[in-house]
Amino acid sequence: MTEKSWLKRTVKVLEFDKVIEQAMRYASSSLARERMERLTPFFTYEEVEEAQEATAEGVTVYRLRGEVPLGGIHDIRPSIRRARMGGVLSPQEFLDLADTLAAGRRLKHFLLELADKESLPILKEYAERIEGLKNLETKIHGTIDEYGEVLDGASPLLRKIRAEIKGLESGIKERLDRMVKDPSYQKMIQEQIVTLRNGRYVIPVKQEYRTAFGGLVHDQSASGATLFIEPEAVVRLNNELREAKLKEEKEIERILRELTHTTAEEADALSVNVESLAELDFIFTKAKYALSIKASRPILNRKKAIKLKKARHPLIPKEKVVPIDVEVGDSFTMLVITGPNTGGKTVSLKTIGLITLMAQAGLQIPADEESEVAVFSQVFADIGDEQSIEQSLSTFSSHMTHIVRIIQEMVPDSLILLDELGAGTDPTEGAALAIAILDHISRRGARVVATTHYSELKVYAYNQPQVMNASVEFDVETLSPTYRLLLGIPGRSNAFAIARRLGLPAGIIEKAKAQVGSESRELEQMITNLAESRKEAEMKREEAERIQEEMVRLRNSLQEEKERLERERDRLLREAAREAEEVVKKARREAEEVIRELRRLGEEEGARIKEHRLIEARKRLDEAIPTLETGRRERGAVPSSPHGLKAGDEVYVHSLKLKGIVLEALGEDEYLVQVGILKTKLNGRDLEKREEEKTRHEKAVIRTANRRERVRTELDLRGQTVEEALIHLDRYLDEALLAGLPQVTIIHGLGTGALKRAVQDYLRSHRNVERYRSGGQGEGGLGVTIAELKG
């Protein structure tokens, strides 16, 4: 059996071709449909991995964007070949070319924009191959309109010829219109219309008046009562019109030939474009099909192991298909599915084989995530009753012929699917032959899934460590299979149970049981016990999964609530920051106004400023400074009176919110205090003694050093909005000035440039910024701005 023949047979019996037909419906162009039609499985790990990665990228794009701009792609390959050979393309072919170029340009822009945010290496590579060829597209649209007509402006000569044609047509129609409306001709004219026959303008004349107009007869009505005559008066004009139209056709052919030549010059680029578009449409076709059947990307392995979770046959309707869990090839190399006929064994076998072919063809599989498939170099399938009428072969002979070929062609990394192994002959001989075949295949190292209804194979599978029993569950109550695959449990015949449910007398059933050997009865009992234990375990597992799902749901709900609260907190903090900024700005305006007022008073009155005017200005300045209530002290509370104040002590005056120096203790807890240029009597309860400090110069040096240690020389604003960034920048510049920093670095990144412009606009108007510049080499480049601060 050649590779081509065994693959063709496997594709047919597993109905892989029907899967391809389903997927082809999602193609956007004939190019993708053609590729889907030719799709066959790959048989090397690297090829399968690349094909699966391409499909996964397509699925990612649909999940992120929902749609892909694939409209307008045409198969322009025949047009490219004709252009290369020197033929002349038709207007419609040019429109298809232009549409395809525009589609390629849209798709390329769409994918490259998305590839900047997501990892899409395969799609990006195909998109980058597409050339815009905007000049050719523009030339086509400047030559041919959307209806496939060559435009007047395609050449000056064509414009002139068409103007001539228009004038001639107008003259002919005008002359014929006068003729059909002339009262003297009314009885001769069948209808007052001017029409065309054979490209010439004619009028409908009654048969009996054919000689009244002279000229030429071009047509007649079905009854012969009406003749379509070109009157002699317009023959010359019609001839001139015909000549003009021939010149038009010649000029149009010249224009199309010239445009075809331009197209031929871009033939190589156009071929690359169409191949890239075909491959992209093919990838997105596979992706759309995957989403339609709710498929997932399989995990590939090199250890010849299959582990499918909730696998579904893709050709069975969603409302009818029953998912199966199945594995083979890891801890055991063979899976033997036993049980009665019509129990669903063949469906399970086909599901395993078909999913394997789909995965190796680069299609995602209808199974849950984390399902695994191996990459086999061969997939053989002998399924169904394929009796050969031509060769007069029995069912058994037909199966044996195929199995012989499989044994001859198989290799260690083959997957072999055998349906009803050993059927069609004597049960004893058939079972023995089936066991021998499985033993032989096992020694060769291939992976096997086989179905049978022979009880002997149940015992064989139980006693062989490399073989696993399995069965399709059967509901005795409803007398129908559930189609659930049960690993580790051989199939039961259920014959006695079914007979009892159908009403066969108990005596007959008991007599039948007596005819069955003790070993068979013990085997059936063991299978029954296993099935009951499995069912109980399944119920517990389902309950555990339900509880786990509920816990996950609650956890997700709590996480969402946490995130909502965090978003609300952040929103409130942003609002508070904005309000605080407004308060600070207002306070600064008030403070600056007070300072200007004080300066004006100083200029007007010199040292003669009245104390009450200073106190009034100081009060306005204090009111302008926003204060935050910390809750540590109630409003209006006065600190306790200090003891032992003496002349020279530095104190804080709470009522004025200013520092002062005690000049003299006046007795009864009253003191004369110097506050700026103001001397005033104050109660000791209004004063708070400051601790002993160093000299003013030493304090300033220490304070500046401490601030420099706390304040960094750079501010990173990346990821912030312009509004947030300017709030942080304003606060940071104040801290940097207080810390005595001579220069700071503002990091804003490149991005769209909006943040950089906002930062530099702000620095330009800041009163304490001496100058600023963009960063140089080694400083961060254009992604940073260096600001020098005033001393």
Side-chain angles (χ1 to χ4, degrees):
M1 190 188 304
T2 63
E3 177 177 337
K4 187 174 181 180
S5 64
W6 70 254
L7 178 58
K8 184 177 180 181
R9 173 179 166 78
T10 299
V11 164
K12 179 182 177 183
V13 298
L14 291 177
E15 300 179 291
F16 179 72
D17 53 338
K18 292 184 179 179
V19 169
I20 295 301
E21 288 176 10
Q22 279 189 346
M24 284 172 61
R25 300 172 192 165
Y26 297 93
S28 296
S29 68
S30 60
L31 294 165
R33 284 192 291 275
E34 179 183 308
R35 272 169 163 70
M36 284 302 306
E37 197 170 15
R38 298 199 313 260
L39 180 62
T40 57
F42 301 101
F43 295 99
T44 67
Y45 185 92
E46 291 71 23
E47 288 176 314
V48 175
E49 177 65 28
E50 183 177 357
Q52 284 290 344
E53 177 61 29
T55 305
E57 288 185 18
V59 170
T60 297
V61 171
Y62 275 111
R63 284 180 174 161
L64 289 174
R65 294 297 177 88
E67 287 296 332
V68 179
L70 291 166
I73 300 174
H74 301 279
D75 185 0
I76 58 173
R77 292 173 299 179
S79 300
I80 297 171
R81 286 195 294 269
R82 286 184 58 209
R84 277 181 166 146
M85 294 170 63
V88 178
L89 302 186
S90 69
Q92 187 56 52
E93 287 178 299
F94 281 118
L95 289 182
D96 289 347
L97 275 169
D99 286 349
T100 303
L101 287 172
R105 189 176 67 256
R106 288 192 301 270
L107 187 57
K108 178 177 183 176
H109 179 267
F110 173 84
L111 290 175
L112 293 184
E113 182 183 42
L114 193 57
D116 287 340
K117 304 171 185 175
E118 297 290 331
S119 177
L120 303 169
I122 295 175
L123 295 178
K124 182 179 180 181
E125 181 182 350
Y126 282 117
E128 287 175 339
R129 294 180 190 175
I130 299 172
E131 291 191 41
L133 302 180
K134 184 66 176 176
N135 289 338
L136 177 58
E137 183 187 345
T138 302
K139 192 167 185 178
I140 291 172
H141 285 307
T143 303
I144 301 167
D145 67 16
E146 58 185 315
Y147 304 107
E149 298 292 333
V150 176
L151 294 164
D152 294 354
S155 78
L157 179 57
L158 183 62
R159 187 187 298 277
K160 180 181 177 183
I161 292 170
R162 284 186 172 169
E164 180 185 351
I165 289 171
K166 189 175 181 181
L168 286 169
E169 287 179 333
S170 178
I172 293 168
K173 288 178 184 179
E174 183 179 347
R175 187 169 294 189
L176 291 177
D177 277 338
R178 287 201 305 269
M179 191 174 291
V180 297
K181 292 176 182 177
D182 190 330
S184 61
Y185 290 123
Q186 288 300 304
K187 64 178 182 178
M188 305 178 189
I189 301 299
Q190 193 73 284
E191 289 184 81
Q192 291 186 8
I193 60 170
V194 176
T195 185
L196 278 170
R197 287 295 186 273
N198 301 321
R200 300 177 77 89
Y201 286 95
V202 296
I203 58 175
V205 178
K206 294 176 182 179
Q207 169 71 28
E208 57 269 29
Y209 297 107
R210 60 180 302 171
T211 59
F213 294 91
L216 304 171
V217 176
H218 287 280
D219 198 4
Q220 66 179 11
S221 65
S223 64
T226 303
L227 300 178
F228 293 94
I229 294 177
E230 177 187 358
E232 189 175 355
V234 296
V235 169
R236 182 184 59 79
L237 291 175
N238 264 328
N239 288 340
E240 291 178 6
L241 177 61
R242 179 60 182 159
E243 290 174 7
K245 287 191 173 181
L246 287 174
K247 287 192 289 184
E248 178 191 31
E249 290 174 6
K250 186 176 179 181
E251 178 62 10
I252 287 174
E253 184 179 0
R254 187 197 67 78
I255 291 168
L256 294 179
R257 186 176 295 280
E258 182 181 306
L259 190 55
T260 301
H261 179 71
T262 304
T263 302
E265 292 175 345
E266 301 290 357
D268 290 340
L270 287 168
S271 296
V272 172
N273 278 15
V274 75
E275 289 302 315
S276 299
L277 288 171
E279 193 62 33
L280 288 169
D281 193 4
F282 170 61
I283 290 171
F284 286 119
T285 298
K286 294 189 294 178
K288 281 190 280 189
Y289 177 62
L291 293 171
S292 73
I293 63 172
K294 297 183 179 178
S296 64
R297 181 179 181 176
I299 298 171
L300 301 180
N301 66 65
R302 299 176 186 268
K303 57 185 180 180
K304 299 184 291 183
I306 298 173
K307 294 182 181 178
L308 302 178
K309 300 178 180 179
K310 307 293 184 189
R312 308 176 303 279
H313 195 292
L315 301 178
I316 298 177
K318 296 176 183 178
E319 63 275 9
K320 293 182 179 180
V321 67
V322 177
I324 62 171
D325 294 334
V326 63
E327 62 178 275
V328 63
D330 194 355
S331 56
F332 51 90
T333 59
M334 289 190 187
L335 185 66
V336 176
I337 307 173
T338 54
N341 292 330
T342 69
K345 302 191 303 295
T346 302
V347 172
S348 296
L349 191 69
K350 284 188 172 182
T351 300
I352 296 167
L354 188 51
I355 282 180
T356 299
L357 292 184
M358 289 177 67
Q360 293 193 200
L363 298 172
Q364 295 195 348
I365 62 174
D368 283 2
E369 293 182 358
E370 306 302 320
S371 292
E372 290 189 46
V373 294
V375 178
F376 297 101
S377 62
Q378 297 172 318
V379 178
F380 297 103
D382 180 57
I383 298 175
D385 183 4
E386 299 182 25
Q387 181 172 335
S388 174
I389 297 174
E390 294 82 0
Q391 299 179 14
S392 299
L393 294 176
S394 67
T395 300
F396 177 75
S397 298
S398 178
H399 281 302
M400 281 302 106
T401 300
H402 296 146
I403 290 172
V404 167
R405 291 176 179 171
I406 290 171
I407 290 174
Q408 290 172 346
E409 297 288 333
M410 62 175 284
V411 293
D413 60 345
S414 296
L415 174 64
I416 301 174
L417 308 171
L418 303 172
D419 189 31
E420 294 296 345
L421 182 60
T425 188
D426 177 77
T428 303
E429 292 181 356
L433 193 57
I435 291 171
I437 291 170
L438 292 178
D439 270 339
H440 177 80
I441 294 174
S442 178
R443 287 194 298 271
R444 298 281 296 276
R447 300 298 187 258
V448 180
V449 181
T451 69
T452 180
H453 60 273
Y454 292 141
S455 295
E456 289 85 348
L457 267 72
K458 302 175 188 177
V459 179
Y460 167 77
Y462 183 78
N463 291 326
Q464 298 296 322
Q466 80 278 11
V467 186
M468 173 64 71
N469 262 311
S471 61
V472 179
E473 187 179 52
F474 189 89
D475 190 338
V476 179
E477 297 298 321
T478 62
L479 302 181
S480 61
T482 66
Y483 299 104
R484 292 178 64 239
L485 190 65
L486 306 176
L487 293 181
I489 300 176
R492 300 168 59 190
S493 69
N494 298 306
F496 297 142
I498 293 172
R500 180 179 291 106
R501 288 282 300 167
L502 293 175
L504 192 67
I508 297 176
I509 294 173
E510 292 303 321
K511 189 172 183 178
K513 284 184 177 181
Q515 301 297 320
V516 178
S518 61
E519 290 184 0
S520 296
R521 286 197 300 271
E522 289 173 2
L523 177 61
E524 286 296 317
Q525 186 59 46
M526 178 190 73
I527 294 173
T528 301
N529 294 339
L530 282 172
E532 290 176 354
S533 298
R534 173 64 178 262
K535 191 171 184 179
E536 183 180 351
E538 281 287 318
M539 291 175 61
K540 290 182 179 179
R541 182 182 63 80
E542 289 174 1
E543 178 64 16
E545 288 178 353
R546 187 189 64 76
I547 294 172
Q548 183 180 13
E549 289 174 359
E550 180 65 17
M551 291 179 66
V552 170
R553 188 186 65 77
L554 289 172
R555 183 192 66 188
N556 292 341
S557 178
L558 289 172
Q559 181 66 25
E560 289 175 1
E561 181 64 16
K562 178 185 175 185
E563 291 173 357
R564 187 190 67 78
L565 291 173
E566 288 177 349
R567 289 194 299 270
E568 181 66 14
R569 179 201 63 191
D570 293 343
R571 184 185 66 79
L572 293 173
L573 287 174
R574 287 194 298 271
E575 288 183 0
R578 284 195 294 270
E579 292 175 1
E581 181 188 14
E582 290 300 320
V583 170
V584 169
K585 287 180 179 178
K586 181 180 178 182
R588 281 182 176 156
R589 288 194 297 269
E590 288 289 333
E592 289 170 359
E593 186 179 340
V594 170
I595 291 169
R596 284 195 298 272
E597 179 72 12
L598 287 172
R599 286 175 178 166
R600 187 183 63 77
L601 291 173
E603 291 172 359
E604 291 178 356
E605 303 184 18
R608 295 181 289 102
I609 300 174
K610 299 297 183 181
E611 290 183 4
H612 74 276
R613 303 189 73 171
L614 281 172
I615 293 172
E616 181 182 347
R618 179 74 254 179
K619 184 178 179 182
R620 286 181 62 199
L621 187 59
D622 290 341
E623 290 174 351
I625 300 173
T627 58
L628 296 175
E629 293 295 331
T630 63
R632 295 183 180 179
R633 180 186 300 159
E634 294 181 3
R635 287 188 174 183
V638 180
S640 57
S641 173
H643 298 286
L645 289 177
K646 60 184 183 298
D649 285 346
E650 185 175 346
V651 293
Y652 180 76
V653 183
H654 290 284
S655 60
L656 298 177
K657 297 182 181 179
L658 295 170
K659 293 180 182 179
I661 301 295
V662 176
L663 298 178
E664 182 182 354
L666 301 176
E668 295 184 2
D669 209 18
E670 281 192 345
Y671 300 89
L672 182 63
V673 181
Q674 178 86 39
V675 181
I677 61 172
L678 177 69
K679 294 180 182 179
T680 182
K681 293 179 182 180
L682 295 169
N683 192 284
R685 290 177 298 175
D686 195 20
L687 305 177
E688 181 180 344
K689 184 179 178 182
R690 296 300 191 190
E691 295 181 359
E692 196 72 26
E693 296 178 330
K694 298 183 179 181
T695 64
R696 188 176 304 277
H697 175 72
E698 290 173 331
K699 288 191 295 179
V701 171
I702 293 170
R703 188 161 56 250
T704 300
N706 289 340
R707 282 175 178 156
R708 281 183 176 172
E709 289 178 2
R710 291 197 307 269
V711 179
R712 294 169 60 90
T713 59
E714 63 181 33
L715 174 65
D716 192 344
L717 300 176
R718 289 175 295 183
Q720 300 180 21
T721 64
V722 170
E723 184 181 24
E724 293 170 344
L726 293 182
I727 292 173
H728 293 154
L729 177 59
D730 182 75
R731 187 182 305 123
Y732 172 72
L733 289 176
D734 286 347
E735 294 173 353
L737 287 164
L738 290 172
L741 297 180
Q743 176 179 293
V744 294
T745 300
I746 315 300
I747 304 173
H748 43 64
L750 295 174
T752 62
L755 185 56
K756 178 179 179 179
R757 289 193 297 271
V759 166
Q760 293 191 349
D761 287 345
Y762 184 83
L763 294 175
R764 186 182 299 112
S765 60
H766 198 284
R767 61 184 178 282
N768 290 314
V769 175
E770 186 74 34
R771 64 182 61 87
Y772 68 89
R773 61 179 173 82
S774 295
Q777 187 174 4
E779 295 178 316
L782 299 177
V784 305
T785 295
I786 311 297
E788 297 179 17
L789 307 181
K790 294 179 180 179

